[in-house]
Amino acid sequence: MAVAARKGRTTASPHASITTAAWPGSLDSWLSWIPLPKWALITVAVAVAILLLLFLICIVRCCCSKKKRKKKERIGLCAVSNSTTTSLVQPEMEDLEWRAEQKQRGKLQYSLEYNFRTQELKVGVKQAVELKAMDSGGTSDPYVIVYLTSDRKKRYETKVYCKTLNPIFNESFTFQVPQAEVSESTLVMQVYDFNRFAKHDIIGEVRLPLASVNLQHVIEQWSDLVVASKVEEEHLGEICFSLRYVPSTGKLTVLILEAKQLKRMDSHGLSDPFVKVHLILNRKKWKKKKTSVKKNTLSPYFNEVFVFEVPFSQIQNVDVVISVWDHDKMTKNEPIGKLFLGCRATGNQLRHWSDMLSNPRRPLAQWHVLQPPDVVDRALGLKSHLKLPLHSR
């Protein structure tokens, strides 16, 4: 039995060595080539594993942070505590609003030609493109007002072009400007959006100091429209009235409806307004009627109608002058503002007159901005000190 036991041990030991030393034996043979102890090798392996793990973590975090920056890049500057740094990098809200107002107002093409012999400045309003849409339908009804700062009372208006953001005007206006005053004048071209029943909105303007322009030759150029300057001429007020003409009977009906925001003429800050309606035939004084006086108000309501007999053969030769006056018992009545309509008129006045002739027997109401009286008188060829006959029909 001892022999059997010995044989069992001798036969079992080889199998045990084979089963337990197969994998460690191959690892030991591979590690035997590295002249380091096992504990050092294990330490290096752990360190390499940690470094790889940290490297993977860094890559993941970098990718995530880039995505977050893209989403929050507009508000990232809010975290900057230094106000000086923030102001240098991030603009103020007022600046952002100003830049937003300046954008997308459009461009205006114009020409300038100065005649040194006659001392006349000819301004050509050519066209506008990409105007800002002012109406709910995504368009505008643009027209241009042109004047010089040296003589604000003399203003020209182009025709109104309906429902377009790219109007072609091709109109020219002449200003009498002495050569000595050229360098002190600024040319102003304002683009408005026409509105029949409300105040006209300004789209933008071009202000061109003539001192910065070489008028030795003809100039034609484009300029960006900018926000209109707050420094404007005195506002005289607005008036609303309707016109109706019946060709078959020769009846011209003028209905004075109301006025608003009139100039203050009295010491207590109000006025006593009334309206005169004159008819000029062939540049000669013809007929006149007037409304009642409304006391102590800058926004009077009249709703008074006047009927004139104007034969159809004469309607093209008639000018209708609407003037608002301040009544004064003790002194002379003072004019607040005027305007005139007819075939010789321009801008909104000409449009209103043309619409009346195109729609016979139909009353058409419209608001108009009052102009300085002497400007209207000069345009009509009348002298400011002359009065029309007091009789009326």
Side-chain angles (χ1 to χ4, degrees):
M1 292 183 62
V3 174
R6 195 179 298 113
K7 288 181 180 179
R9 283 194 292 269
T10 57
T11 57
S13 59
H15 291 290
S17 62
I18 291 172
T19 55
T20 57
W23 165 250
S26 60
L27 182 62
D28 289 341
S29 62
W30 180 73
L31 292 176
S32 63
W33 292 91
I34 301 175
L36 289 175
K38 288 185 178 181
W39 65 268
L41 293 176
I42 294 172
T43 303
V44 171
V46 171
V48 171
I50 292 173
L51 289 175
L52 288 175
L53 182 61
L54 292 174
F55 181 71
L56 291 175
I57 292 173
C58 289
I59 292 176
V60 173
R61 292 188 64 181
C62 288
C63 294
C64 294
S65 62
K66 285 182 179 179
K67 291 181 180 179
K68 290 181 180 179
R69 285 195 195 102
K70 289 181 180 179
K71 292 181 180 179
K72 298 182 179 180
E73 59 184 357
R74 293 184 180 180
I75 59 173
L77 291 172
C78 294
V80 181
S81 59
N82 189 319
S83 60
T84 305
T85 306
T86 306
S87 63
L88 291 175
V89 180
Q90 185 175 12
E92 298 291 337
M93 290 304 299
E94 293 180 357
D95 294 337
L96 292 175
E97 292 175 358
W98 181 83
R99 291 175 187 176
E101 286 184 349
Q102 293 288 358
K103 290 181 180 179
Q104 298 177 352
R105 292 186 175 271
K107 296 176 179 289
L108 181 68
Q109 185 187 32
Y110 56 91
S111 64
L112 297 177
E113 182 179 359
Y114 186 73
N115 189 319
F116 288 89
R117 182 178 60 82
T118 60
Q119 297 189 354
E120 291 180 339
L121 177 67
K122 185 177 181 180
V123 180
V125 180
K126 302 296 184 179
Q127 60 180 320
V129 296
E130 300 176 355
L131 293 179
K132 181 179 179 180
M134 306 296 286
D135 300 337
S136 58
T139 61
S140 295
D141 301 322
Y143 68 96
V144 182
I145 293 178
V146 184
Y147 65 90
L148 293 173
T149 55
S150 58
D151 186 10
R152 295 175 183 267
K153 294 181 179 180
K154 188 168 187 179
R155 297 156 57 102
Y156 293 104
E157 294 182 11
T158 68
K159 295 179 182 179
V160 178
Y161 290 82
C162 296
K163 297 182 180 180
T164 178
L165 301 179
N166 301 285
I168 299 176
F169 301 103
N170 283 335
E171 297 186 41
S172 60
F173 311 102
T174 303
F175 296 89
Q176 195 72 37
V177 187
Q179 187 173 348
E181 298 179 7
V182 169
S183 60
E184 301 176 0
S185 299
T186 297
L187 175 65
V188 182
M189 293 169 284
Q190 296 177 322
V191 183
Y192 279 85
D193 172 48
F194 174 83
N195 193 321
R196 184 180 296 278
F197 300 108
K199 184 178 180 181
H200 301 172
D201 297 319
I202 187 166
I203 300 175
E205 71 174 13
V206 173
R207 286 183 177 261
L208 185 66
L210 298 182
S212 64
V213 180
N214 183 7
L215 295 176
Q216 297 292 334
H217 54 84
V218 179
I219 297 172
E220 184 171 317
Q221 61 188 19
W222 288 89
S223 291
D224 292 323
L225 293 173
V226 298
V227 177
S229 173
K230 295 181 180 179
V231 181
E232 291 299 327
E233 63 182 29
E234 184 180 24
H235 184 72
L236 301 177
E238 300 175 48
I239 185 170
C240 181
F241 57 88
S242 74
L243 298 176
R244 177 176 180 261
Y245 184 66
V246 182
S248 59
T249 61
K251 300 289 186 181
L252 174 63
T253 303
V254 181
L255 173 60
I256 305 298
L257 293 169
E258 60 180 313
K260 63 181 180 180
Q261 300 176 357
L262 295 178
K263 178 183 176 182
R264 294 175 173 84
M265 303 294 288
D266 299 337
S267 58
H268 54 274
L270 296 173
S271 297
D272 301 321
F274 67 96
V275 179
K276 292 182 182 180
V277 181
H278 296 86
L279 258 61
I280 310 296
L281 178 61
N282 294 324
R283 303 197 180 192
K284 295 181 181 180
K285 297 165 284 188
W286 189 21
K287 301 177 182 180
K288 182 189 76 171
K289 295 186 179 182
K290 63 180 180 180
T291 69
S292 58
V293 178
K294 304 299 179 181
K295 297 288 186 179
N296 299 325
T297 179
L298 300 178
S299 299
Y301 181 76
F302 299 100
N303 196 28
E304 298 184 36
V305 63
F306 306 110
V307 180
F308 299 92
E309 293 183 4
V310 182
F312 182 70
S313 59
Q314 297 291 344
I315 193 64
Q316 299 288 343
N317 303 318
V318 168
D319 296 309
V320 178
V321 182
I322 308 292
S323 57
V324 182
W325 295 71
D326 175 50
H327 177 75
D328 200 319
K329 291 182 179 180
M330 305 301 295
T331 60
K332 182 181 177 182
N333 297 335
E334 295 182 87
I336 299 176
K338 288 185 179 182
L339 60 95
F340 82 96
L341 303 94
C343 295
R344 295 193 294 142
T346 59
N348 301 323
Q349 290 76 36
L350 178 60
R351 179 188 177 92
H352 195 177
W353 186 260
S354 300
D355 289 346
M356 179 199 71
L357 296 178
S358 301
N359 299 273
R361 296 177 294 277
R362 178 184 173 188
L364 295 173
Q366 183 175 316
W367 281 94
H368 292 274
V369 177
L370 292 172
Q371 301 174 10
D374 54 345
V375 173
V376 177
D377 291 344
R378 284 201 303 266
L380 287 168
L382 302 175
K383 294 184 179 179
S384 58
H385 67 275
L386 289 180
K387 295 184 179 180
L388 295 177
L390 296 178
H391 64 272
S392 62
R393 283 190 69 172

